[in-house]
Amino acid sequence: MFILTTISDLVQISPEDFSKFSAVAIEDNINEKYANKVIQKIGLCIGFYDLLESSDGLIGHGTGLVNVNVKFRMIVFRPFKGEIVIGKITSGTEHGIKIGVEFFNDILVPPDLLLPGARFDYADQVWVWDNEDGSTFYFDIGEVVRFRVEVEEWHDQIPNAPDLGDGTPVSERKPPYSIIGSMQMAGLGPISWW
């Protein structure tokens, strides 16, 4: 679920950070730039792990910023295909069940990847599973569930065109990184069932 990724970049240290130790100033700038951001085809950056290399700082002409070439490792959230993950149901619609973990909420289990016999109850706005024995189980909001990672989706975040006010709908922005999961195996779904 978590991986270490090596990144090389140029870090700029502002004069306000000169009172800090250089390693602390570099770490603060890396966290500010990368933490809680998605890098395409890498994953969601959680935080700085360690500094592998750094060059001598060069002061930029006219800016006072110190430029340092660094090589470091980041802790990144990117579960592998087939991994079983625990999360909470955040909502349910006819398009599937939305699940979130503590720091990531772009997880969807579509209807075709739920247990056979699952249906959406429009009155209660929840998914329901009717098993072979005739028992009914609910996928309640806030319920802790296990799901299996099936597909990762990556969407490049290009800027939207300005709204011209002519009634043309603005396209819905997709998250930069999302996960499609499944609950088709025994043991998956709400933990309280098993």
Side-chain angles (χ1 to χ4, degrees):
M1 180 178 338
F2 296 102
I3 59 174
L4 285 177
T5 299
T6 303
I7 300 172
S8 295
D9 198 1
L10 176 75
V11 173
Q12 294 184 318
I13 300 171
S14 63
E16 298 87 52
D17 291 338
F18 289 171
S19 62
K20 299 178 184 176
F21 289 112
S22 57
V24 173
I26 290 170
E27 179 179 345
D28 290 348
N29 280 284
I30 289 170
N31 273 327
E32 183 179 337
K33 185 173 182 178
Y34 286 97
N36 202 27
K37 307 263 186 336
V38 172
I39 300 175
Q40 288 291 311
K41 306 294 183 189
I42 304 263
L44 173 66
C45 294
I46 303 298
F48 176 83
Y49 183 73
D50 65 352
L51 184 63
L52 301 175
E53 297 174 12
S54 65
S55 68
D56 292 334
L58 299 173
I59 298 175
H61 179 69
T63 62
L65 298 173
V66 174
N67 298 309
V68 181
N69 287 311
V70 294
K71 186 175 180 182
F72 59 94
R73 292 190 294 179
M74 290 288 296
I75 300 171
V76 175
F77 171 73
R78 186 177 181 186
F80 59 86
K81 185 177 178 181
E83 184 172 359
I84 306 296
V85 181
I86 295 178
K88 279 188 180 180
I89 296 176
T90 58
S91 67
T93 66
E94 62 273 0
H95 302 295
I97 297 174
K98 292 280 286 181
I99 299 173
V101 295
E102 288 183 36
F103 50 86
F104 186 76
N105 291 322
D106 293 317
I107 303 166
L108 175 71
V109 178
D112 57 330
L113 294 177
L114 288 169
L115 291 165
R119 62 181 168 77
F120 186 66
D121 185 347
Y122 287 92
D124 293 331
Q125 294 291 303
V126 296
W127 279 87
V128 178
W129 176 50
D130 299 318
N131 69 0
E132 304 87 31
D133 300 337
S135 301
T136 302
F137 297 94
Y138 291 89
F139 293 90
D140 291 323
I141 294 174
E143 189 93 35
V144 177
V145 294
R146 281 190 197 96
F147 65 94
R148 181 179 173 191
V149 175
E150 297 295 335
V151 177
E152 296 176 305
E153 290 185 347
W154 302 94
H155 302 284
D156 193 11
Q157 297 297 296
I158 57 174
N160 286 341
D163 184 12
L164 302 175
D166 61 358
T168 307
V170 177
S171 62
E172 183 179 322
R173 185 173 277 267
K174 295 183 178 181
Y177 176 54
S178 59
I179 295 172
I180 303 295
S182 71
M183 293 185 196
Q184 292 181 317
M185 299 180 346
L188 300 181
I191 291 177
S192 60
W193 295 0
W194 310 101

